[in-house]
Amino acid sequence: MDPWPEDLPRQVEIDAAGDVALTAPQAAALLGVALDAFLADLRAGHVYSVVERGEGEDAGRLRLTLRRRARQRQLLVEAATGRVLDAS
């Protein structure tokens, strides 16, 4: 099941350097937590993210892992456009 919230665009921002950015509302919704709680945990250092760049047949894709406490979400993203291909 794809947990991407229906009310959010299936898009993340990718800057010229290839770095990925989620907005705080996107990240909070993906993790299923209120924005205020997410921001408090972010300030306290309880939110982590990792971006992995695909190689070989996965070239051109990114995997973004977002963690908050015991909850984790992964996004498969098209590197050229920032379009979210899958979420788990």
Side-chain angles (χ1 to χ4, degrees):
M1 184 170 125
D2 186 338
W4 189 268
E6 291 182 21
D7 58 335
L8 290 178
R10 291 185 68 92
Q11 190 76 28
V12 298
E13 182 180 330
I14 300 179
D15 68 15
D19 295 325
V20 179
L22 287 174
T23 66
Q26 278 179 318
L30 282 169
L31 292 168
V33 64
L35 181 57
D36 290 345
F38 173 80
L39 292 172
D41 279 348
L42 184 64
R43 285 188 291 272
H46 298 299
V47 177
Y48 305 92
S49 64
V50 175
V51 176
E52 299 168 276
R53 301 187 191 295
E55 297 179 357
E57 65 183 46
D58 291 321
R61 295 183 180 167
L62 305 170
R63 180 170 53 202
L64 172 64
T65 302
L66 181 63
R67 292 186 183 115
R68 175 194 171 260
R69 299 183 181 261
R71 180 162 259 177
Q72 171 179 301
R73 292 289 181 252
Q74 287 188 326
L75 306 179
L76 181 61
V77 177
E78 188 174 70
T81 65
R83 183 172 62 101
V84 176
L85 303 170
D86 191 27
S88 61

